[in-house]
Amino acid sequence: MLTLKQSRRLNTLLVGGVSWIVALLLFFPIFWMVLTSFKTEIDAFATPPQLFFTPTLENYLHIQDRSGYFRFAWNSVVISFGATALGMLFAIPAAYSMAFFETKRTKGTLLWMLSTKMLPPVGVLVPIYLLAKQFDLLDTRTVLVIIYTLINLPIMVWMIYTYFRDIPRDILEAARMDGATTLQEMVKVLLPISKGGLASTMLLSLILCWNEAFWSLNLTSANAAPLTALIASYSSPEGLFWAKLSAVSTLACAPILIFGWISQKQLVRGLSFGAVK
């Protein structure tokens, strides 16, 4: 018969073991992608797959010579940060009004905003494409910044709203009694208190913008194409170039993986608040 202490230790070991197994299963595709990126095309198609091979950098050199990786990467950076900044500019005032000046329609508005995420993107592709063409925005960063802002705005408002709801109203009332205007109340009182939540929201928005592929493939071709479009270009009617596709995928994933790893605490905290509340 196990004692209470032994039972707890066994449970801890089981939970730890299962966690490691799940983590390895999730990490394996990334590991295999990186490994394949250093193979030749012949080694990448070898059956059975080879774990031991002579590594090469020809795939990375080919990507830069043929495609110009840094041009696509710069487009991803500009579009992701631009859409996140624009989204925060709209999300903060919206969440502020809903959190501190709640009405009977607030909950319904929040649910309606979130329900727009359930709409399949292909359902609105044609009208958005025609609008972009009408305003001469096709193959520009501007159209992707606008689209990414709109599709991520509901999540951003929800996350910031949950953080603002945790802030005691007495703090804001004290600022008003001291003569603070609405803008001063937001900038000097509210934003410093909720900077952790705002940082989490920005991180999630950056990741979502960086990984978005549907709109970049349909609204851009060359000038404003981000890394997701570059990855898709290596899947052609001539076939799949697994080694080169793995190399370009590694280069596309590396910046956001490193960024997410550095800021994982803020990101997990933001996701937890947004999901639970």
Side-chain angles (χ1 to χ4, degrees), residues 125-136:
L125 173 60
V126 173
I128 288 179
Y129 182 89
L130 293 176
L131 284 171
K133 184 178 180 180
Q134 179 69 28
F135 291 98
D136 198 24

Side-chain angles (χ1 to χ4, degrees), residues 196-219:
L198 298 179
S200 302
T201 305
M202 292 177 65
L203 289 172
L204 181 61
S205 175
L206 281 171
I207 293 173
L208 292 175
C209 292
W210 191 275
N211 294 330
E212 176 60 43
F214 178 82
W215 293 108
S216 65
L217 293 175
N218 286 285
L219 298 180

Side-chain angles (χ1 to χ4, degrees), residues 212-233:
E212 176 60 43
F214 178 82
W215 293 108
S216 65
L217 293 175
N218 286 285
L219 298 180
T220 64
S221 56
N223 297 328
L227 287 171
T228 47
L230 176 61
I231 295 173
S233 69

Side-chain angles (χ1 to χ4, degrees), residues 2-172:
L2 294 175
T3 63
L4 181 60
K5 186 176 181 180
Q6 290 174 330
S7 178
R8 288 179 177 175
R9 184 177 298 175
L10 181 61
N11 288 336
T12 302
L13 290 174
L14 287 173
V15 172
V18 171
S19 300
W20 273 103
I21 292 173
V22 172
L24 289 173
L25 289 174
L26 292 174
F27 177 73
F28 181 77
I30 300 175
F31 166 75
W32 195 256
M33 176 183 69
V34 176
L35 195 68
T36 306
S37 70
F38 291 100
K39 295 181 178 181
T40 62
E41 292 295 344
I42 296 176
D43 290 337
F45 276 96
T47 304
Q50 298 179 358
L51 285 175
F52 301 98
F53 57 92
T54 303
T56 178
L57 293 176
E58 67 177 23
N59 298 314
Y60 292 95
L61 296 175
H62 174 84
I63 290 167
Q64 181 54 36
D65 291 340
R66 174 197 159 187
S67 306
Y69 165 80
F70 291 104
R71 178 170 59 86
F72 290 90
W74 178 245
N75 286 337
S76 287
V77 169
V78 173
I79 292 166
S80 299
F81 279 88
T84 298
L86 186 61
M88 294 295 288
L89 192 64
F90 286 103
I92 292 174
Y96 169 80
S97 63
M98 292 180 182
F100 298 106
F101 302 96
E102 192 169 353
T103 65
K104 293 181 180 180
R105 297 182 180 180
T106 297
K107 294 292 184 182
T109 302
L110 285 168
L111 289 173
W112 171 76
M113 291 180 65
L114 198 59
S115 69
T116 60
K117 293 293 294 179
M118 304 175 191
L119 179 69
V122 70
V124 292
L125 173 60
V126 173
I128 288 179
Y129 182 89
L130 293 176
L131 284 171
K133 184 178 180 180
Q134 179 69 28
F135 291 98
D136 198 24
L137 292 176
L138 287 178
D139 199 20
T140 63
R141 297 170 185 163
T142 303
V143 69
L144 290 186
V145 168
I146 295 172
I147 295 298
Y148 289 4
T149 299
L150 293 176
I151 63 177
N152 291 330
L153 193 58
I155 295 177
M156 298 173 75
V157 172
W158 261 95
M159 289 185 65
I160 299 174
Y161 170 80
T162 57
Y163 275 101
F164 284 177
R165 289 279 293 176
D166 282 345
I167 298 175
R169 294 174 179 265
D170 296 342
I171 297 177
L172 300 183

Side-chain angles (χ1 to χ4, degrees), residues 189-202:
V189 179
L190 191 61
L191 297 188
I193 295 175
S194 56
K195 60 183 178 181
L198 298 179
S200 302
T201 305
M202 292 177 65

